[in-house]
Amino acid sequence: MRNILFLAASALAAGSANATPPPRMPLPPKLIVAISVDQFSADLFDEYRPHFAGGLARLAGGTVFRNGYQSHAATETCPGHSTILTGNHPAHTGIIANVWVDQGVKRSDLSVYCAEDESAPGTSSSNYKVSPVHLLVPTLGELMKARWPGSRNVAVSGKDRAAVMMTGHNVDQRWYWNGKTFTSDLTGVPVPQALVRADAAIAAALAEARPGLEPTPYCASKARPVPVEGGGQPVGDGVLARAAGDANGFRASPELDGATLAIAAALVDEMRLGRGNDPDLLAVSLSATDYVGHTYGTEGQEMCLQLTELDREIGDFLSALDARGLNYAVVLTADHGGKDVPERQRSAGFPGAQRVDPALAPATIGKALVARLGLKGPGLFGEGSFGDIYLDGHLGAADRKRLLTAAVAAYRAHPQVEAVFTGDQLAATPMPGGNPTGWSLLQRARASYYKGRSGDLIVLLKRDVTPIADTSRYVATHGSPWDYDRRVPILFWRNGFPARGIERPVDTVDILPTLAGLIGLPYDFSKVDGLCLPEAPSASCPSP
Ligand SMILES: [Zn+2]
């Protein structure tokens, strides 16, 4: 089934008619297209690789690092996107989670969203002012703009945080879906015609119901209803049909990615990206795979339909670039991996897969500890049953110490908890490097620890524990320090360069140095965690 938004966007319809790619392009490229597929685990890439026939098949014919790693413990969207084009782990980007707790913030909502400016009056972590203010390091696009005055730094995304973390502070255009429309946090940037047309097409598409997608035989082979615990609907045999006006159904489907890519292609034309003297950067974050994973899990017919359409949509997008004769390079990776619903996992060789015990909520544990220790207040704060947990800042030093000791013991005593580290312990741990498969849990947590934003303690759950108990909204997720959430594909592609499969583990922080080598961009080695990957197409890796 062809996405209605593609047909509405003449830019892509024109490109997909051209089936023959142009000849091998000279170095260096004039346009870097950096694609992040949200929640596209290496497990999914490995499984679906034989079934891809479109854009993902083309990119899988480039230089394939199938063992890429978002090597840190906090495998969430914001930290993950912050590594892709900065060359830095979250410990250095400062983006330690999607949401953290700041008890010093001057508003009643102490939760702080990673891509907001919490000093903006009247805001909260759910009604926020989008901003890059928390990102502490420059992005590739910013380094390009500093080096070459004509370079443009552009992002289109299904999520604001992905667009912000892939482009940073000095940005030409940045557009993202806000649940109703594509919008931007940039001021003084005229709205491109591409956006006006896309918004009209999306509004028209949303107003009508969408029939289900036609499953391929492979997808149909996965169609089996699986009941989920925690109040949610069964998953597994859906076809991604949507009622008229259902915006959540829009984003948890190939429609959102189709719109994102259509806007990206139209911006290439409207901004004449890749046609100037200086190279441009176009960051594209495709969020629907993540929403499909959260809503239906990763091993049902729904994800199969999503990936089938994604493959075709990326193919149409690349064909549109070919049709314009652009000299471009592509890197594709993911912000984190993902994991299926435990109910289906149990019948797929993971008998221990289970949902988290709601008693692990920081409010519950905090209340019990406060009562036991004779303290006042909530005791503990946190955004979920794992990750960063914070001690109540109103407590005196002696009480904080007692509470910390008791909280560490309480979490460690729980059978679903694998490890608990204190902030002081992490601050004293050297930053890890080298092969990310060999990192200890302490090192993984260190790579996403930033003093002042991270918790007073970091709680890591056992493997195969899904940290969602109430499944009325989402049934599956990511965020753990385990490899199903850390391992992601990293694909580099240039037209005419041979296929190359690399098994050695690499890191998403290696992407910036590798792309810098490709376009001859100098950077300060001492300010980047990653290393240039010499296997990528014609990258000339500079020596430190
Ligand atoms: Zn994500």
Side-chain angles (χ1 to χ4, degrees):
M1 176 180 160
R2 184 142 291 262
N3 192 314
I4 187 168
L5 292 166
F6 272 99
L7 299 176
S10 56
L12 284 186
S16 44
N18 183 338
T20 314
R24 178 169 170 153
M25 290 292 182
L27 290 168
K30 288 295 185 191
L31 175 63
I32 290 180
V33 180
I35 302 174
S36 165
V37 176
D38 203 309
Q39 205 187 126
F40 190 33
S41 65
D43 291 334
L44 281 179
F45 175 70
D46 287 345
E47 177 191 342
Y48 281 89
R49 195 171 175 183
H51 301 278
F52 291 139
L56 289 167
R58 191 205 286 210
L59 299 179
T63 304
V64 174
F65 293 91
R66 58 180 284 273
N67 296 307
Y69 280 82
Q70 291 276 6
S71 48
H72 51 274
T75 50
E76 295 186 328
T77 295
C78 220
H81 277 97
S82 82
T83 72
I84 294 172
L85 292 177
T86 67
N88 275 286
H89 297 301
H92 289 144
T93 68
I95 309 301
I96 55 112
N98 282 347
V99 180
W100 57 82
V101 173
D102 182 352
Q103 297 178 67
V105 72
K106 290 181 176 41
R107 67 181 187 196
S108 57
D109 180 8
L110 303 183
S111 296
V112 172
Y113 177 58
C114 60
E116 74 157 322
D117 179 358
E118 66 272 24
S119 69
T123 61
S124 69
S125 59
S126 56
N127 179 26
Y128 47 81
K129 179 185 189 297
V130 173
S131 165
V133 70
H134 297 134
L135 181 64
L136 304 177
V137 293
T139 64
L140 177 65
E142 291 179 287
L143 295 176
M144 288 166 66
K145 287 178 75 65
R147 171 75 174 181
W148 298 296
S151 287
R152 272 81 56 82
N153 184 19
V154 178
V156 188
S157 170
K159 295 184 183 177
D160 53 29
R161 57 187 177 273
V164 166
M165 296 307 154
M166 289 181 87
T167 44
H169 299 255
N170 187 5
V171 181
D172 294 271
Q173 299 260 354
R174 176 157 65 206
W175 298 95
Y176 43 80
W177 179 247
N178 71 358
K180 294 191 174 93
T181 182
F182 277 85
T183 188
S184 181
D185 59 306
L186 305 179
T187 53
V189 178
V191 178
Q193 281 305 306
L195 260 295
V196 176
R197 286 196 302 271
D199 274 340
I202 292 164
L206 252 177
E208 296 190 9
R210 184 188 60 220
L213 296 167
E214 188 65 44
T216 62
Y218 181 60
C219 293
S221 76
K222 288 172 165 280
R224 181 174 67 86
V226 176
V228 294
E229 300 154 3
Q233 298 291 317
V235 298
D237 60 348
V239 289
L240 305 180
R242 166 176 67 68
D246 177 6
N248 284 342
F250 172 85
R251 72 177 193 181
S253 83
E255 284 184 305
L256 176 60
D257 292 342
T260 306
L261 286 164
I263 292 168
L267 281 178
V268 167
D269 282 347
E270 197 160 334
M271 299 180 72
R272 299 188 59 75
L273 296 177
R275 290 188 167 97
N277 288 326
D278 299 327
D280 296 319
L281 177 88
L282 173 60
V284 181
S285 183
L286 301 171
S287 311
T289 302
D290 185 64
Y291 289 123
V292 169
H294 285 306
T295 309
Y296 306 103
T298 60
E299 282 302 319
Q301 177 172 259
E302 302 93 343
M303 180 60 84
C304 189
L305 292 170
Q306 161 61 19
L307 292 179
T308 303
E309 290 297 292
L310 176 71
D311 175 40
R312 181 188 57 70
E313 291 172 337
I314 292 175
D316 286 353
F317 174 74
L318 298 178
S319 295
L321 300 183
D322 295 340
R324 284 148 182 77
L326 296 174
N327 177 8
Y328 68 99
V330 182
V331 60
L332 183 144
T333 188
D335 57 339
H336 49 75
K339 183 178 172 299
D340 198 18
V341 292
E343 295 82 4
R344 188 163 39 210
Q345 283 226 302
R346 285 200 288 269
S347 59
F350 300 93
Q354 57 190 283
R355 295 195 174 275
V356 72
D357 177 1
L360 274 170
T364 306
I365 292 188
K367 193 176 170 190
L369 293 177
V370 161
R372 176 159 32 111
L373 299 174
L375 303 173
K376 287 195 169 57
L380 302 176
F381 295 101
E383 288 299 318
S385 48
F386 70 108
D388 295 282
I389 309 292
Y390 302 80
L391 305 178
D392 181 353
H394 294 99
L395 296 171
D399 286 340
R400 279 176 63 84
K401 199 171 170 189
R402 288 169 62 216
L403 179 60
L404 179 64
T405 304
V408 168
Y411 277 105
R412 281 191 180 147
H414 194 284
Q416 288 185 331
V417 171
E418 177 73 21
V420 182
F421 305 120
T422 66
D424 289 345
Q425 187 182 3
L426 288 162
T429 301
M431 272 291 287
N435 182 345
T437 59
W439 293 11
S440 66
L441 289 177
L442 178 67
Q443 288 176 308
R444 297 173 195 195
R446 175 66 185 91
S448 45
Y449 176 81
Y450 183 81
K451 193 173 171 63
R453 290 184 186 170
S454 293
D456 297 302
L457 57 159
I458 312 285
V459 174
L460 303 180
L461 300 180
K462 282 207 162 70
R463 194 188 301 263
D464 296 329
V465 175
T466 292
I468 297 178
D470 173 357
T471 54
S472 55
R473 181 163 170 256
Y474 285 153
V475 299
T477 195
H478 46 82
S480 84
W482 304 107
D483 282 357
Y484 50 76
D485 284 340
R486 293 170 82 221
R487 195 170 74 93
V488 295
I490 303 178
L491 316 177
F492 292 92
W493 184 89
R494 294 217 63 211
N495 196 47
F497 285 81
R500 204 162 177 203
I502 312 292
E503 291 292 317
R504 77 179 175 98
V506 297
D507 198 304
T508 53
V509 300
D510 299 329
I511 292 172
L512 176 136
T514 305
L515 294 176
L518 182 60
I519 57 174
L521 175 73
Y523 61 93
D524 186 343
F525 293 91
S526 70
K527 293 184 175 166
V528 169
D529 291 322
L531 296 170
C532 182
L533 303 173
E535 301 97 330
S538 291
S540 66
C541 290
S543 335

